[in-house]
Amino acid sequence: MEILTNSTVGSAHGKIILMGEHSVVYGEPAIAVPFEAVGISVETTASKGEITIDSNYYQGSLDLVPSQLDNLKATIHRTLDLVEKPYQDLHLAIQSTIPAERGMGSSAAVATATVRSLVNFFNKEISQEELLDIVNEAEKIAHGNPSGIDAWTVTNNDFVYYVKEAPFEKLTFKGTAFIIVADTGQTGQTLKAVSDVASLVDHSPEIMEAVIKKLGKLAHKSKKAIKTGDVHALGRFMSRAHGHLKKLTVSNDALDLLVEKALDAGALGAKLTGGGRGGCMIALAEDYLQAHRIASQLKEARADKVWIYELGGKQ
Ligand code: PMV
């Protein structure tokens, strides 16, 4: 007889895209880091009857979740199909410190934590490939046309150079540098931003494809800067990338203001991170003192929340 534990927890961390958001959807390289300062945990417990959910956004039956949680529903159904269990007798409680829709990979993280929790609950094992498959399916519902970078980064602990459908390359930063992450407090609009970029590419292919190529080149050059520890070059590439992302119309006033404030405070470079149109920006500092100064400046400029992340180290 199969013995099930009373409750199990699955978790996942957030992610920060250092370079290459949006252009990564078009096959260009991107660089991302796991962001362990924020995370999601999902606790599965046995219950009687239909599957129920308890989260900040919704409490109740899985069958009746609002459409914004269709990705969660699909994740639960696909995982239960994989472990060959019926859609019943479960309660899932979701706790998150990843601000939703801020470019930190919350949708990929919630899917990852859910799969891990359910798989643990039924004492099953699944491969990394199966996990990525389910998370990417959920990301399609949340984002329309995901590159897979979010799914990859929240399910792994590596600093990664990522190209869609290519083997990943693990990076190590030579030396020290600090990334300051600031949340505008506005929800980003990844789904809309990704589809608007697609429309721009459709309407002005030559101009927009050139912008996308330049973003890809900057990601490639950033990889070299990371490997050699050239923090000044990395900063310059980040700021240039922000300029190109603006051309793709994925920045907004709140992001531009925080980018400007960070540069005024001495950042080596600054840009939006993730889908844009709100959400978070990042800035680069050479040492902790400088990072602290930039973080204070960003708080003064009313960033909702600010984190300091040591590149290559722990936050
Ligand atoms: O906003 P986020 O955290 O979901 O990041 C999206 C990154 C994009 O490049 C804009 C889309 C993608 O799937 O790569």
Side-chain angles (χ1 to χ4, degrees), residues 15 17 20-25 30 101-108 139 143 145-150 162 188-191 193-194 250 273-276:
K15 67 100 223 281
I17 297 182
E21 49 276 275
H22 288 287
S23 43
V24 68
V25 174
E101 296 179 63
R102 302 293 216 287
M104 286 190 177
S106 75
S107 56
E139 285 292 272
H143 284 183
N145 181 23
S147 64
I149 193 166
D150 282 17
Y162 180 93
Q189 301 169 36
T190 305
L191 180 67
V194 169
V250 295
T273 181

Side-chain angles (χ1 to χ4, degrees), residues 46-97:
S47 73
K48 277 273 158 255
E50 59 185 348
I51 298 176
T52 48
I53 302 294
D54 184 359
S55 75
N56 279 343
Y57 304 99
Y58 175 78
Q59 294 89 37
S61 160
L62 179 66
D63 287 340
L64 303 175
V65 290
S67 59
Q68 299 96 295
L69 292 181
D70 279 350
N71 49 342
L72 176 67
K73 192 172 174 175
T75 301
I76 294 171
H77 286 169
R78 282 213 49 192
T79 310
L80 292 175
D81 290 346
L82 192 74
V83 298
E84 299 176 330
K85 297 291 171 190
Y87 300 172
Q88 65 188 48
D89 299 336
L90 296 169
H91 175 72
L92 282 84
I94 302 169
Q95 286 200 324
S96 175
T97 56

